[in-house]
Amino acid sequence: MASPLPSPTDPPVTVAEAGAVTVLVCSSCRRTGDGPETPRPGTRLADALGAEACPGVSVRRVACLGNCTRGLSAAIYREGCWTYVFGGLDEGSSGDLREGARLFAGASDGFMPWRGRPEALKRGLIARVPPIDLLKDLP
Ligand code: FES
């Protein structure tokens, strides 16, 4: 049975054109005790990231990434590559997400590089999801 995890013998992932990276930020995440009128920290994170976005990286708000109990959440997607889901972020994480997206956009193998990845995106990794093309090859 083939493993869904990559190995050195796997064929290279078909990588989309550099720069086709999207950061999906959950704008619904809130802190315990926040009232309904309190601006959502997830919204503020999305706004900050959108205001500082770098070329080739787009930012989208999503309603929920299903990671609600583990802090602010975001995913970084690149067509034809693995998708990375992060939790434990905070309102100041826009720079870390931007740097992760920039690294991912420049990767030639379809993976977000570990080296140089901000600490928040190392310890905050919740999951990585294979590209749909890889799933077609599984038995
Ligand atoms: S509300 Fe943000 S992950 Fe669910």
Side-chain angles (χ1 to χ4, degrees), residues 2-136:
S3 169
L5 297 176
S7 80
T9 58
D10 288 342
V13 172
T14 302
V15 176
E17 189 174 313
V21 172
T22 302
V23 183
L24 304 158
V25 182
C26 173
S27 58
S28 300
C29 280
R30 68 168 110 192
R31 299 282 179 213
T32 304
D34 281 353
E37 303 303 318
T38 305
R40 303 230 172 169
T43 299
R44 292 197 292 265
L45 174 59
D47 289 347
L49 184 61
E52 304 164 356
C54 54
V57 176
S58 59
V59 179
R60 298 281 184 271
R61 291 182 187 188
V62 294
C64 179
L65 290 168
N67 190 47
C68 319
T69 61
R70 289 182 274 191
L72 304 190
S73 301
I76 301 182
Y77 165 83
R78 182 175 171 193
E79 186 176 346
C81 301
W82 290 67
T83 297
Y84 295 80
V85 180
F86 302 99
L89 302 173
D90 58 38
E91 292 179 57
S93 297
S94 60
D96 292 334
L97 288 170
R98 188 173 55 253
E99 177 60 12
R102 189 192 66 76
L103 285 171
F104 199 17
S108 60
D109 60 359
F111 296 96
M112 182 183 293
W114 186 259
R115 181 180 298 219
R117 190 188 300 182
E119 276 302 311
L121 303 189
K122 288 180 176 177
R123 68 178 185 285
L125 179 64
I126 300 298
R128 62 179 192 175
V129 181
I132 197 72
D133 289 350
L134 182 64
L135 298 177
K136 288 191 298 193

